[in-house]
């Protein structure tokens, strides 16, 4: 299904307070990742008749406040470290006349590409903002798509979700421990030598031929069953995403062990981009 989005605004969102540190050293593990974005799209049904202007204002204010805690994301990469200069992140707005229900009914994996934040012409990996957000409003106030894209050299899938949880808590006016992250990567994994060069995406994945993307649909009742099975002493009430990610990761691990030859790294195993349809 082709989705026609009209971009209605683009601006830079800066942290509400200055960064407490000038620089963040990247670890060797960070820099072994190529300079790419990992992105996830969250689809929300509208439960209140608020205008796009009110929703957009709340998202921008809460994003600015959240960036004060996740301050490296508002900086820029400078060689083997992040310069925490509060330059800000890119916030793009778009709209479509399509209803969310119609989009979900005819959803294809190709149609999700329209919701990804675009890289502007002339930008290079070294000058990318580390975080991009694209908020798309569906027709007649039926729903919203929020896409968050973060540089893979500073965030993995878990870190991305930690940021989203912190942003959501701030937007709702609640407090959570995820709003106070600790940037300790370089203290756990040593920083690289100054001569180190990050690999390119082609060097890592050696992409040849066609890539296949699958869409996985889970019924609400099945997700509830997964949450019960995924509960443990350490995680008594897992979220929907945690339960489903646990299942997918277990299946991937079992499939990997069943192969006689170790598989090459893939986009799925390096950075899983999970998009859920919630009936």
């Amino acid at each position: 299904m082709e989705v026609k989005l009209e971009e209605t605004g683009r601006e830079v969102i800066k942290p509400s307070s200055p960064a407490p540190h000038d620089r963040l050293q990247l670890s060797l593990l960070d820099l072994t990742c190529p300079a790419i974005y990992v992105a996830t799209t969250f689809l929300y049904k509208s439960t209140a008749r608020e205008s796009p202007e009110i929703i957009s204002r709340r998202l921008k204010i809460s994003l600015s406040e959240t960036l004060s805690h996740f301050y490296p994301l508002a900086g820029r990469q400078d060689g083997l470290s992040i310069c925490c200069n509060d330059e800000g992140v890119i916030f793009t707005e778009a709209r479509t006349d399509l209803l969310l229900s119609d989009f979900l009914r005819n959803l294809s994996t190709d149609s999700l590409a329209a919701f990804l934040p675009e890289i502007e012409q002339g930008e290079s990996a070294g000058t990318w903002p580390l975080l991009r957000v694209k908020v798309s409003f569906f027709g007649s106030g039926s729903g919203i798509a929020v896409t968050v894209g973060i540089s893979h050299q500073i965030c993995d899938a878990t870190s991305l979700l930690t940021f989203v949880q912190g942003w959501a808590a701030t937007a709702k006016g609640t407090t959570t421990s995820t709003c106070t992250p600790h940037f300790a990567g370089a203290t756990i994994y040593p920083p690289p030598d100054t001569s180190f060069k990050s690999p390119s995406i082609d060097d890592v994945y050696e992409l040849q031929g066609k890539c296949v993307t699958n869409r996985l649909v889970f019924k609400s009742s099945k997700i509830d069953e997964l949450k019960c099975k995924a509960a443990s002493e350490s995680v008594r009430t897992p979220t929907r995403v945690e339960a489903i990610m646990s299942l997918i990761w277990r299946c991937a691990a079992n499939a990997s062990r069943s192969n006689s030859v170790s598989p090459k790294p893939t986009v799925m195993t390096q950075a899983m981009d999970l998009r859920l349809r919630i009936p």
Side-chain angles (χ1 to χ4, degrees):
M1 179 184 212
E2 184 180 0
V3 180
K4 295 182 179 179
L5 284 175
E6 177 189 1
E7 185 175 310
T8 57
R10 179 187 295 241
E11 63 181 277
V12 175
I13 304 297
K14 298 188 177 185
S16 59
S17 58
H21 302 285
D22 295 332
R23 192 166 291 272
L24 174 68
Q25 174 67 54
L26 293 173
S27 71
L28 180 61
L29 184 61
D30 296 324
L31 292 163
T32 54
C33 297
I36 59 174
Y37 281 110
V38 287
T40 301
T41 297
F42 301 88
L43 300 173
Y44 299 93
K45 295 179 181 178
S46 294
T47 57
R49 289 296 178 181
E50 292 184 323
S51 68
E53 290 76 18
I54 293 176
I55 295 173
S56 175
R57 189 183 310 115
R58 182 185 304 125
L59 289 175
K60 291 175 183 177
I61 292 174
S62 58
L63 176 58
S64 177
E65 294 173 354
T66 305
L67 287 173
S68 295
H69 300 285
F70 294 81
Y71 60 90
L73 295 179
R76 296 292 184 269
Q77 185 170 348
D78 180 19
L80 305 181
S81 63
I82 301 297
C83 179
C84 304
N85 54 12
D86 297 330
E87 281 196 29
V89 306
I90 304 299
F91 186 100
T92 303
E93 292 182 65
R95 299 188 186 187
T96 176
D97 293 331
L98 184 67
L99 299 179
L100 175 59
S101 56
D102 292 338
F103 172 74
L104 291 176
R105 192 176 298 114
N106 301 283
L107 177 64
S108 68
T109 53
D110 291 338
S111 62
L112 289 168
F115 298 95
L116 297 176
E118 296 180 358
I119 296 175
E120 297 176 22
Q121 187 175 4
E123 283 188 332
S124 62
T127 62
W128 282 348
L130 298 177
L131 172 65
R132 292 177 186 270
V133 173
K134 186 172 183 178
V135 178
S136 305
F137 295 92
F138 287 92
S140 301
S142 56
I144 306 170
V146 179
T147 303
V148 180
I150 299 183
S151 169
H152 199 4
Q153 290 193 323
I154 192 172
C155 279
D156 56 13
T158 300
S159 303
L160 186 152
L161 291 175
T162 299
F163 168 77
V164 171
Q165 288 177 337
W167 184 13
T170 302
K172 292 187 294 185
T174 59
T175 57
T176 173
S177 58
T178 60
C179 285
T180 310
H182 299 283
F183 305 102
T187 63
I188 301 173
Y189 303 99
D193 185 83
T194 54
S195 61
F196 182 85
K197 183 179 180 180
S198 297
S200 69
I201 184 66
D202 293 334
D203 293 335
V204 175
Y205 299 135
E206 299 178 356
L207 294 178
Q208 295 179 355
K210 295 182 178 180
C211 298
V212 178
T213 301
N214 290 325
R215 176 185 174 216
L216 307 177
V217 181
F218 296 83
K219 293 183 178 179
S220 295
S221 58
K222 295 300 181 181
I223 296 178
D224 291 337
E225 291 180 19
L226 281 175
K227 289 174 65 175
C228 292
K229 292 181 179 179
S232 63
E233 285 288 333
S234 57
V235 184
R236 297 184 181 276
T237 309
T239 65
R240 296 160 70 96
V241 172
E242 288 172 338
I244 294 173
M245 288 288 283
S246 298
L247 172 65
I248 294 175
W249 188 252
R250 174 176 289 184
C251 292
N254 290 339
S256 177
R257 284 195 292 267
S258 66
N259 292 335
S260 57
V261 179
S262 298
K264 293 182 179 181
T266 64
V267 174
M268 174 62 81
T269 58
Q270 289 291 322
M272 190 176 296
D273 183 3
L274 183 63
R275 300 179 175 93
L276 303 180
R277 173 187 172 186
I278 303 175

